[in-house]
Amino acid sequence: MAFSKLQKELINTAKYLVVRGKGILPVDEPTGSFFKESEAVADTPENRRRHLEILFTSDCSLGNCISGVIFLEQTFVEKTKDGTPFLKLLDHLNILPGIKLDLGITDLAGSQGEKTTKGLDDLPERCRMYKVMGAKFAKWRCVFKIGEQTPSQLAIETNTTLLARYAIICQQNGLVPIVEPEVLCDGDHDLERAKLTSIKVLSAQVKALLDHGVLLEGMLLKCSMIRPGHACETVCTPEQVAEATIEVLTRTIPPAIPGITFLSGGLSEIDATTYLNSINKHPGVNKPWSLTFTFGRALQATVMKIWGGKDEKVAAAQQEFIKRVKANSKASLGNYSSKDEGNGEDDDARKSLFNPEHSY
């Protein structure tokens, strides 16, 4: 198949974002939600800017583990204290800038409390604007909640079609789309229900992408690791999560898609890393995609707590951030070990980050 110049650019960018040993850092939590949940730092525009500067100036080796950063529209043009644009800082580290283009979750009319996502109306214009400003890729998220009668066919068709429309608009304007059909881990559903629902959603998503003519080689998929709901009484091992995740992916995702980036979904920092490691260590199955991380809270929660808004704690917070990034880099290769973690009795990285009140 002969690819156009634009298609080749999209393919090369997608491959770069999921090169082995690297993941993507999302700093695109809705304004205020991450700070509110951390309870460690006051939610102000300056603290949000300082938080990003702490991450981006943590170590010159950051680009060895992180390939891209997903910004909010509000923070895409932010600068360091000395006036250096964050995008210039990342460019020196060979880290690509991306942009969250959905405008948040809203009620899906005609459903039983299900959700869809806003932002499609002016999407072509925003894609062109952020491409000119330096963005290389984008992200859009829709959520699916498992319940007695959900996700409904209405929600699945509406949201997978929406994600496909976003993806083709991005590609037409030179941005690699990260497509995120997130099956939420809220609830008490078991592992089998999580598998069946994920297969249904991801199958519908791939069909919608193909129906819309999306170049699979020039996009990435972001999804949940397959596990029971947080309220399920049955606890699964990392190996069981890996087995279920690989089963779902091999049944639904074409090998033309170069990479799958997992979200942490309220897992503790260490559990998220351990599950990712188990997925990449899973034996006996040819995994044609790069399987890596797009962890938000599972890379930053302990960092935020250590920093606490205090200048004298910045170095310690940066050290913790690099520790977490390197651990997940190893996990994306299947080389992570529990020895990479400390043995502290009160290790915040071992605490669940699930919040039933989390703002989606």
Side-chain angles (χ1 to χ4, degrees), residues 19 56 130 169 328:
V19 68
F56 300 158
Y130 283 106
I169 291 171
N328 284 289

Side-chain angles (χ1 to χ4, degrees), residues 8-266:
K8 289 178 180 177
E9 178 186 331
L10 294 170
I11 292 169
N12 289 337
T13 300
K15 288 180 178 178
Y16 184 88
L17 287 168
V18 291
V19 68
R20 285 179 58 79
K22 294 187 181 184
I24 298 172
L25 172 65
V27 290
D28 62 340
E29 285 274 358
T31 302
S33 67
F34 182 57
F35 281 79
K36 181 179 178 181
E37 290 179 22
S38 73
E39 299 181 345
V41 183
D43 176 28
T44 66
E46 175 58 15
N47 278 342
R48 289 194 293 273
R49 189 203 63 77
R50 290 172 68 199
H51 171 63
L52 296 183
E53 184 168 351
I54 287 170
L55 302 182
F56 300 158
T57 61
S58 56
D59 194 277
C60 61
S61 67
L62 183 62
N64 295 335
C65 303
I66 297 293
S67 59
V69 170
I70 306 171
F71 287 92
L72 283 172
E73 295 196 37
Q74 300 95 314
T75 57
F76 194 78
V77 295
E78 281 281 15
K79 302 176 181 179
T80 63
K81 188 176 181 179
D82 66 9
T84 303
F86 284 151
L87 267 60
K88 183 176 181 180
L89 202 64
L90 295 178
D91 184 57
H92 289 321
L93 297 170
N94 296 315
I95 296 174
L96 302 183
I99 183 73
K100 175 181 182 279
L101 287 175
D102 72 74
L103 299 180
I105 303 299
T106 189
D107 292 336
L108 175 61
S111 72
Q112 298 183 16
E114 294 177 283
K115 304 294 182 180
T116 189
T117 312
K118 301 177 289 185
L120 203 61
D121 290 345
D122 63 346
L123 183 59
E125 293 79 10
R126 290 191 291 131
C127 284
R128 287 193 288 271
M129 179 180 70
Y130 283 106
K131 176 67 174 178
V132 169
M133 293 170 65
K136 301 297 184 183
F137 67 101
K139 192 203 82 168
W140 187 292
R141 174 175 177 259
C142 289
V143 297
F144 303 85
K145 188 169 184 178
I146 298 178
E148 289 186 9
Q149 299 180 25
T150 59
S152 65
Q153 193 60 31
L154 171 64
I156 292 173
E157 291 181 1
T158 299
N159 286 322
T160 56
T161 298
L162 178 59
L163 283 162
R165 291 178 65 189
Y166 140 80
I168 192 62
I169 291 171
C170 280
Q171 290 187 339
Q172 289 172 345
N173 289 281
L175 297 177
V176 168
I178 296 180
V179 174
E180 183 179 0
E182 180 183 358
V183 177
L184 298 173
C185 291
D186 305 47
D188 61 357
H189 55 274
D190 61 14
L191 184 62
E192 188 64 24
R193 180 73 191 282
K195 284 167 53 178
L196 294 175
T197 302
S198 297
I199 288 172
K200 188 173 184 180
V201 169
L202 293 177
S203 297
Q205 187 61 73
V206 171
K207 181 180 185 301
L209 291 167
L210 293 172
D211 287 346
H212 283 74
V214 174
L215 177 68
L216 299 185
E217 293 88 346
M219 61 157 284
L220 299 175
L221 178 73
K222 180 178 179 181
C223 64
S224 306
M225 295 178 268
I226 310 304
R227 55 195 176 90
H230 282 282
C232 180
E233 294 181 357
T234 303
V235 177
C236 289
T237 65
E239 291 74 23
Q240 289 172 315
V241 171
E243 177 74 29
T245 301
I246 295 299
E247 178 183 342
V248 168
L249 296 179
T250 53
R251 290 186 175 189
T252 58
I253 307 304
I257 295 176
I260 298 166
T261 68
F262 294 110
L263 55 96
S264 54

Side-chain angles (χ1 to χ4, degrees), residues 209-341:
L209 291 167
L210 293 172
D211 287 346
H212 283 74
V214 174
L215 177 68
L216 299 185
E217 293 88 346
M219 61 157 284
L220 299 175
L221 178 73
K222 180 178 179 181
C223 64
S224 306
M225 295 178 268
I226 310 304
R227 55 195 176 90
H230 282 282
C232 180
E233 294 181 357
T234 303
V235 177
C236 289
T237 65
E239 291 74 23
Q240 289 172 315
V241 171
E243 177 74 29
T245 301
I246 295 299
E247 178 183 342
V248 168
L249 296 179
T250 53
R251 290 186 175 189
T252 58
I253 307 304
I257 295 176
I260 298 166
T261 68
F262 294 110
L263 55 96
S264 54
L267 288 167
S268 74
E269 293 173 339
I270 290 179
D271 282 347
T273 307
T274 301
Y275 288 6
L276 177 64
N277 189 64
S278 293
I279 289 169
N280 279 288
K281 285 180 64 176
H282 187 272
V285 177
N286 178 32
K287 300 184 281 289
W289 334 269
S290 174
L291 302 173
T292 189
F293 59 94
T294 323
F295 298 161
R297 285 173 287 169
L299 281 177
Q300 303 170 60
T302 300
V303 173
M304 182 79 79
K305 186 168 184 178
I306 291 173
W307 170 44
K310 300 174 182 178
D311 290 342
E312 64 270 22
K313 295 292 186 178
V314 166
Q318 290 178 322
Q319 184 178 6
E320 178 65 23
F321 177 60
I322 290 299
K323 172 185 170 183
R324 292 256 51 83
V325 166
K326 289 182 176 180
N328 284 289
S329 173
K330 290 183 178 181
S332 71
L333 299 170
N335 295 332
Y336 168 77
S337 167
S338 59
K339 295 178 181 179
D340 295 316
E341 306 291 349

